[in-house]
Amino acid sequence: MTSRREFLTSAALLSAGLLVAPSLLAYDKHYIGIQLYTVREAMEKDPAGTLAKLAQIGYNSVEGATYTGSQKFYGMTPAVFAALLKQQGLIMPSSHHRLGEELANGAPVPGTILHDWDRAVDDAAAVGVKYMVCAYLSEAERGGLDHYQRVAEELNKAGERCKKAGIQLCYHNHDFEFPAQAGGKRPYDILLNSTDKELVKMELDLYWITKAGQDPLALFKQYPGRFPLWHVKDMAKEAPHSFAEVGSGSIDFKKIFAHANEAGLKYFFVEQDATPGSPFDSVAKSIAYIKKNLV
């Protein structure tokens, strides 16, 4: 199975606090989403068949993962991909994108935050995307706190462009944003505090936040309404604490979902970066747990 960085890099190389009533923050429990990175190999081979299978399992929303580099959605134009989603009764409220600081074969990667972002936003809007997410920073795109400050500035600019199209920009965490650097500050603190809370919100990955030793409930309390998107991804109880089907691991999702309104949750997506067998078997187990226990 390819890693997230390998997957996103290969895609590039293929083509060079809220003062509102809690009720207003409530998410629509009708939607149970899946991040398509979980079934990336199947989507690459047969996107139409894969979407049909996910819909049959019970998922009714998806989060895209492949726009970077190709400036298409799984090889399709926005209009064709939107029609395919509609045919399967699916929506795609969110899609993943890259910062674009990392070059591919020495050239900028189009469709990223730093390169041809206008077109990326227009294409996302054409598919009905409501949230565009900075998915991942490569090692070359991280650096020290000063660099994260510059990333925050770029996110603000990108968020302003998204706003004009009626789209919300978000940032998706891993675990590398949490170790403290100079002065005890963490990169994630920079990203939260140096971005406009209206222009840049967060997609909280519940696996990576847990792996980083952080408490999501503490973040919800400190930054209410800032986390409209979640990745619902479980962690195996035994070392090396790898990815697991939702409900089979160590993360207390019931406790976290009890604070959904405080977080500002709007959509969540099941994600399992690696599965022991067929990813379809794993995501079927995850949705069964979610339907019985969380929604």
Side-chain angles (χ1 to χ4, degrees):
M1 300 290 274
T2 56
S3 71
R4 177 177 294 278
R5 184 182 182 187
E6 290 169 339
F7 175 76
L8 291 168
T9 300
S10 65
L13 292 173
L14 284 174
S15 60
L18 288 183
L19 299 177
V20 297
S23 61
L24 296 179
L25 293 173
Y27 68 100
D28 189 342
K29 295 184 179 181
H30 170 72
Y31 290 112
I32 301 177
I34 181 165
Q35 171 35 264
L36 292 175
Y37 180 74
T38 307
V39 291
R40 55 197 176 275
E41 294 176 357
M43 283 296 294
E44 187 174 326
K45 296 174 183 176
D46 181 14
T50 300
L51 292 175
K53 195 167 186 177
L54 292 172
Q56 185 178 29
I57 290 171
Y59 290 95
N60 49 22
S61 69
V62 300
E63 183 176 52
T66 70
Y67 184 83
T68 297
S70 70
Q71 294 190 283
K72 290 185 177 180
F73 297 95
Y74 298 93
M76 289 169 266
T77 64
V80 172
F81 188 61
L84 179 60
L85 290 171
K86 185 176 181 179
Q87 180 183 354
Q88 297 302 332
L90 298 167
I91 64 169
M92 190 169 80
S94 178
S95 64
H96 273 197
H97 301 265
R98 289 292 301 274
L99 177 64
E101 201 172 68
E102 188 176 44
L103 303 180
N105 291 330
V109 178
T112 56
I113 287 173
L114 297 180
H115 305 287
D116 205 6
W117 187 237
D118 283 338
R119 177 175 168 180
V121 173
D122 290 342
D123 285 351
V127 179
V129 168
K130 299 178 182 179
Y131 296 87
M132 297 179 76
V133 183
C134 181
Y136 174 79
L137 299 181
S138 69
E139 289 186 29
E141 293 173 325
R142 299 173 199 174
L145 296 179
D146 288 344
H147 188 265
Y148 276 97
Q149 184 68 44
R150 292 195 295 275
V151 171
E153 293 168 3
E154 294 297 343
L155 291 175
N156 277 330
K157 294 176 186 176
E160 186 65 52
R161 176 62 180 87
C162 286
K163 183 179 179 180
K164 293 177 181 177
I167 294 174
Q168 174 68 62
L169 182 69
C170 294
Y171 177 87
H172 170 272
N173 70 281
H174 288 76
D175 58 348
F176 57 76
E177 298 95 342
F178 292 94
Q181 296 190 12
K185 289 185 178 181
R186 306 175 304 180
Y188 201 65
D189 297 328
I190 299 292
L191 295 174
L192 273 167
N193 296 320
S194 294
T195 54
D196 185 313
K197 66 180 181 180
E198 301 302 326
L199 296 178
V200 182
K201 296 190 184 296
M202 300 291 165
E203 178 172 59
L204 194 67
D205 189 300
L206 298 177
Y207 171 91
W208 289 114
I209 192 80
T210 301
K211 187 148 191 175
Q214 304 299 309
D215 179 6
L217 303 189
L219 282 173
F220 299 160
K221 184 176 181 180
Q222 187 175 1
Y223 301 96
R226 197 78 187 269
F227 304 90
L229 305 179
W230 296 355
H231 274 185
V232 177
K233 181 191 307 184
D234 213 342
M235 178 184 291
K237 297 175 183 177
E238 301 81 18
H241 306 295
S242 57
F243 311 108
E245 290 78 16
V246 178
S248 70
S250 58
I251 296 178
D252 189 346
F253 291 106
K254 291 182 180 179
K255 183 178 180 181
I256 296 171
F257 268 78
H259 293 263
N261 286 359
E262 183 180 22
L265 178 65
K266 296 299 183 185
Y267 298 96
F268 67 85
F269 305 96
V270 169
E271 185 181 39
Q272 191 169 342
D273 298 39
T275 60
S278 166
F280 295 103
D281 291 341
S282 289
V283 300
K285 292 176 182 177
S286 291
I287 197 172
Y289 175 85
I290 289 169
K291 285 184 173 180
K292 184 177 180 180
N293 297 279
L294 301 179
V295 299

